[in-house]
Amino acid sequence: MKVYIKNKLFSITGKSTVTDASGKSLFDVKGRAFSPTKVKRVCTLDGKTLYKVRNKWFRFLFHSALIYDADKNRIAKIKDRIFSPGYDIEVEGATYSINGKWFSMQSEILKNGVTVGIVRRQFTVIRDAFELEAGEEEMPFMIAFVIAMDNICDRKSAQRT
């Protein structure tokens, strides 16, 4: 299954849309205005929160983001690697990783060493856009990964300026 995640051009809250190839909305990503940790929620179209994503407050050597489930339990920590391109994801019961630089055109999402998703960054002049290819049953969780990685990338960019 392929979905397209597009950040809204003019959004104080950091809202994104998640659509299929035909443009039909599948999920909403809602943010908060003026959130220091860039809190975003992956929601169903009727507003039910599936996952909450936010940057970690403090960092030591690397940037990271956290993913919470609908019951507010932390279920994943995503951190960038210091010496090699990609991200490592700590999830109970599985080992996830994303191989490839975030600004490259394509990255692989691996679960226990097996590819379970592909993220393609689509460069546009005015907004971030991503194509995510993964299994339908894990799609909301994979969307949370992409949002977390984009949050980390945005935080790194903001600190450079």
Side-chain angles (χ1 to χ4, degrees), residues 8 47 58 65 94 109 125 127 133 138 156:
K8 292 280 188 179
F58 300 104
I109 301 173
V125 176
R127 64 180 176 182
E133 189 173 347
E138 284 197 325
K156 288 164 107 175

Side-chain angles (χ1 to χ4, degrees), residues 20-113:
D20 64 10
S22 67
K24 178 184 171 194
S25 291
L26 301 173
F27 300 97
D28 281 328
V29 178
K30 300 175 182 179
R32 290 171 134 178
F34 311 112
S35 173
T37 59
K38 293 194 64 118
V39 172
K40 294 185 180 177
R41 298 180 188 277
V42 178
C43 302
T44 61
L45 294 178
D46 62 357
K48 180 184 172 198
T49 298
L50 301 173
Y51 297 101
K52 177 178 121 178
V53 178
R54 72 169 182 83
N55 285 340
K56 194 170 176 192
W57 274 101
F58 300 104
R59 68 177 185 91
F60 181 74
L61 296 179
F62 54 85
H63 294 270
S64 59
L66 305 171
I67 299 176
Y68 297 85
D69 64 13
D71 296 325
K72 301 180 182 177
N73 299 312
R74 187 176 107 179
I75 57 171
K77 179 179 179 183
I78 299 171
K79 58 185 179 179
D80 67 340
R81 297 181 189 139
I82 298 172
F83 298 112
S84 64
Y87 297 84
D88 292 315
I89 300 120
E90 299 170 6
V91 179
E92 189 174 318
T95 303
Y96 285 89
S97 62
I98 289 95
N99 293 332
K101 292 183 180 178
W102 190 235
F103 281 112
S104 66
M105 294 303 284
Q106 182 170 306
S107 298
E108 290 182 319
I109 301 173
L110 303 171
K111 179 180 180 182
N112 299 326

Side-chain angles (χ1 to χ4, degrees), residues 127-151:
R127 64 180 176 182
D128 289 336
F130 310 94
E131 176 186 277
L132 172 61
E133 189 173 347
E136 190 172 348
E137 64 282 346
E138 284 197 325
M139 189 56 75
F141 195 43
M142 297 291 157
I143 291 168
F145 282 177
V146 172
I147 298 301
M149 291 183 294
D150 192 39
N151 272 3

